[in-house]
Amino acid sequence: MLITAPWTQLEAFSALVRASRAHRVDSEFDQAAAVHTILATMTVMSPPLGTVLIRAQRVVILHGLKALDAMHLGAALELRSLWSTADQFAFATVDNELASAARQEGLDWPA
């Protein structure tokens, strides 16, 4: 199961719109199908924003992350703290800097 914070949906949608404008997505139908597929795989959880911001500020200070990357990591850290089986919690990203910070915070890639 993929669990994400609400802003991930906006990022996915934005990426698809940019791909469409660059003609990397063939049609509006393909774009709509891609959005539907991506959103259908996500379980969106909204951790308390205040706590996410505090965690995000901390990871900016410790790891020098950009704001949105820090928000993703802050949300993951908050969700992990609320998760009943934290040992089954993993973090996935294609961003090397974010992945490194996540590993340093005790979040690993899914097995």
Side-chain angles (χ1 to χ4, degrees):
M1 171 179 9
L2 171 64
I3 298 173
T4 188
W7 47 87
T8 303
Q9 291 179 311
L10 177 59
E11 279 195 305
F13 181 75
S14 173
L16 287 167
V17 169
R18 287 191 321 271
S20 177
R21 288 183 178 165
H23 305 289
R24 294 188 312 259
V25 177
D26 292 333
S27 69
E28 286 184 25
F29 175 78
D30 291 340
Q31 180 181 347
V35 169
H36 181 323
T37 299
I38 289 171
L39 297 182
T41 65
M42 294 181 181
T43 299
V44 177
M45 297 183 77
S46 296
L49 185 57
T51 307
V52 170
L53 288 171
I54 291 168
R55 290 180 184 274
Q57 290 168 348
R58 181 183 153 278
V59 298
V60 165
I61 292 167
L62 292 176
H63 306 290
L65 295 177
K66 295 175 282 190
L68 194 52
D69 288 345
M71 289 292 289
H72 282 296
L73 185 51
L77 293 169
E78 180 60 18
L79 289 171
R80 180 184 62 180
S81 76
L82 301 172
W83 204 255
S84 62
T85 53
D87 60 321
Q88 297 177 1
F89 196 90
F91 186 83
T93 181
V94 295
D95 181 298
N96 291 332
E97 184 179 5
L98 181 54
S100 175
R103 276 190 299 277
Q104 291 176 50
E105 292 294 326
L107 295 172
D108 290 320
W109 282 87

